[in-house]
Amino acid sequence: CIHISRKRKMISTYYRRISQHMGDEGGINTRTKKKSKMKKRGVVAMLAVSVFILLNIAVEEETIHRFLTVNLGGGKCKWSAPVAMSNTTNPLNTTTLLASYPGSGKRLTWRLLEALTGKISGDDWDLSENGHFNVLTMKTSWPHPEGVWAWEGNMDQFIMLIRNPRFAIPSYHTIRHELDYSTNKTESLKRRDYVYTKRAPLEAWEAWRDENFDREMDRWCWFIDFWMEGGLRRNGTVTGNHTNPAEDWRCFHDLMDCTPKAVIKFENLVNNNKKIGEDEMNKMGAVLDSSSNVNVIEPEIRPCAYSEVMSRKKLYNANRDGKGPPNDLKTFTHKQLNAMRAQMEVIRDKYAASPWNEKETAVNLVEALNSYIDDVQGEYEFEVRQYYSKQN
């Protein structure tokens, strides 16, 4: 009787959510309306389904927590692998996009998102084969050319991941090398098994770096501007010698909220100080906590879940270790470092000024940029000394 009563309560809640959704379809919430049309076209029919089907949905919702990391008490946990979403998931689930410049640690970060939700993540090219329509979270490099807007209107909100371009660009080159510098999806799929397996030799890095540095540094900055501005593209209309920014219609027509809910610094996630990594993961957890109809593991076991993911290197990037030079040996010239620092200073100054300085995401971004600028400045000074010592 208690079990049946609980299911009835869940049915009532579920039915109320659907009714509320139907109200939104009438114009109360444009974003929900458009998402529902593109993501779950059968919502209206749900009102007419039998009690038997609703019972099954209630039972399914009831079992979701079974797949989350188990709370053993006292901050201890039992990690369990994430599972797929069902085809009958609640159409009001809040979905989250994770975006970064390529080579910025999305692979690790999406594993942490999976640990928080207990559900597998998708990716824009669907290399994971998890699909675009039944995942709570998805990763992309959009608007970088390595990304593609493949999720239509199926993502509701966005988390931005950033990494120092001093290391993100070399890491991106590693992926390009593993894919044999492919130029289309078909070629990349043929090389998929080589990804995360080795690092390129230094001579290959230096040739690619010198050919692509200006373009990739520009794209790194553009990635930040695009998302911080809520979907403002640089390549808009041309007036004389000036290119006017253009609004990405998918952001400005409410297919998703393109302003970041959080800015995550990759270096914090992998910091040797475990507390710093936990705090950075908790920023993502806070976004999920405030998301409607998303089950998240309890705050008290998130440090444990963080440790479990970080201890399982096979989940993200261990296969490259010992196979090729590490990223810190893939250096830049002093002129490139000077240009890198200067471009980051432009971005930093923009988001440190009003009205951006009143936004928590902009404050976090500026803090990260300041640390990146300091690191690049230190390396620039070293490379200058090395350069002139060789001249003498």
Side-chain angles (χ1 to χ4, degrees):
C1 291
I2 294 175
H3 186 61
I4 293 174
S5 175
R6 183 180 180 187
K7 286 196 287 188
R8 285 175 178 168
K9 182 178 180 181
M10 295 180 71
I11 291 169
S12 175
T13 302
Y14 187 83
Y15 201 88
R16 186 170 61 252
R17 291 174 183 169
I18 296 298
S19 300
Q20 179 184 357
H21 184 74
M22 292 296 292
D24 290 343
E25 286 281 78
I28 295 175
N29 187 322
T30 303
R31 184 181 306 281
T32 306
K33 176 181 178 180
K34 292 186 177 182
K35 173 186 172 183
S36 67
K37 286 183 178 179
M38 300 189 69
K39 180 179 180 183
K40 307 290 181 183
R41 299 182 185 274
V43 172
V44 175
M46 286 185 180
L47 288 173
V49 295
S50 67
V51 173
F52 176 75
I53 297 297
L54 287 173
L55 277 169
N56 285 341
I57 294 172
V59 171
E60 181 181 356
E61 287 196 349
E62 184 179 5
T63 61
I64 287 177
H65 281 293
R66 297 180 186 174
F67 301 112
L68 298 180
T69 300
V70 179
N71 189 344
L72 300 179
K76 297 181 179 179
C77 68
K78 179 181 179 182
W79 181 86
S80 60
V83 298
M85 297 284 287
S86 166
N87 289 331
T88 57
T89 52
N90 188 333
L92 296 185
N93 285 334
T94 301
T95 50
T96 303
L97 182 73
L98 173 72
S100 76
Y101 175 88
S104 297
K106 287 190 299 295
R107 185 176 173 86
L108 168 62
T109 310
W110 81 332
R111 298 303 187 190
L112 293 171
L113 283 170
E114 289 179 335
L116 287 167
T117 64
K119 298 297 183 182
I120 58 174
S121 293
D123 64 278
D124 50 2
W125 291 104
D126 198 26
L127 298 179
S128 62
E129 299 181 350
N130 293 334
H132 297 143
F133 304 107
N134 288 293
V135 289
L136 276 178
T137 56
M138 181 178 297
K139 69 184 182 81
T140 184
S141 293
W142 181 266
H144 191 282
E146 294 292 348
V148 58
W149 191 302
W151 56 91
E152 298 180 358
N154 293 290
M155 292 289 111
D156 296 315
Q157 60 186 7
F158 155 66
I159 292 175
M160 183 164 72
L161 172 68
I162 59 172
R163 185 184 187 185
N164 192 332
R166 163 62 185 88
F167 296 101
I169 293 175
S171 182
Y172 170 47
H173 169 255
T174 297
I175 300 173
R176 297 292 298 126
H177 184 78
E178 290 170 331
L179 293 175
D180 199 24
Y181 306 95
S182 62
T183 58
N184 57 66
K185 182 178 180 180
T186 300
E187 292 177 2
S188 295
L189 286 174
K190 291 178 181 178
R191 298 280 303 178
R192 180 167 59 176
D193 292 341
Y194 293 90
V195 176
Y196 305 114
T197 61
K198 61 181 179 180
R199 294 185 173 90
L202 293 179
E203 55 270 22
W205 152 248
E206 291 172 356
W208 183 90
R209 174 200 68 189
D210 293 342
E211 181 180 353
N212 294 277
F213 171 77
D214 291 337
R215 181 186 304 112
E216 292 306 323
M217 192 62 220
D218 185 63
R219 287 171 173 170
W220 188 89
C221 295
W222 177 32
F223 167 85
I224 292 175
D225 269 341
F226 175 86
W227 290 110
M228 290 298 292
E229 294 276 8
L232 200 62
R233 301 183 63 91
R234 290 182 179 178
N235 54 341
T237 58
V238 178
T239 304
N241 295 323
H242 178 68
T243 300
N244 302 307
E247 298 176 347
D248 190 302
W249 65 270
R250 288 161 294 203
C251 297
F252 287 88
H253 288 77
D254 292 323
L255 288 190
M256 71 170 287
D257 182 356
C258 292
T259 55
K261 298 299 181 185
V263 173
I264 304 301
K265 183 181 177 183
F266 174 73
E267 290 81 2
N268 284 350
L269 289 176
V270 296
N271 196 288
N272 289 330
N273 185 334
K274 180 184 172 185
K275 183 64 168 56
I276 293 176
E278 293 170 359
D279 289 345
E280 203 70 9
M281 186 182 79
N282 283 336
K283 288 164 63 176
M284 296 190 291
V287 173
L288 298 172
D289 285 337
S290 62
S291 302
S292 300
N293 302 301
V294 175
N295 289 309
V296 192
I297 62 174
E298 298 91 337
E300 59 266 26
I301 62 167
R302 291 177 191 176
C304 177
Y306 170 82
S307 297
E308 289 289 336
V309 172
M310 298 303 291
S311 68
R312 288 173 164 78
K313 291 187 177 182
K314 66 179 181 180
L315 291 179
Y316 44 102
N317 203 12
N319 290 335
R320 284 179 180 157
D321 294 344
K323 300 175 183 176
N327 264 1
D328 57 355
L329 293 183
K330 298 168 76 172
T331 58
F332 293 87
T333 68
H334 70 279
K335 292 181 179 180
Q336 291 167 342
L337 290 168
N338 192 40
M340 183 182 295
R341 180 202 60 196
Q343 291 190 58
M344 285 195 289
E345 286 176 342
V346 171
I347 295 289
R348 186 269 317 275
D349 292 346
K350 172 182 177 178
Y351 294 107
S354 178
W356 293 103
N357 57 1
E358 299 176 1
K359 298 178 179 289
E360 182 180 0
T361 50
V363 171
N364 291 337
L365 173 63
V366 168
E367 290 176 352
L369 288 170
N370 278 329
S371 69
Y372 296 163
I373 290 167
D374 289 344
D375 290 344
V376 170
Q377 174 64 23
E379 187 169 349
Y380 164 74
E381 293 173 358
F382 173 80
E383 290 294 337
V384 167
R385 291 194 297 270
Q386 291 291 100
Y387 175 80
Y388 284 108
S389 67
K390 291 178 181 178
Q391 301 304 310
N392 297 328

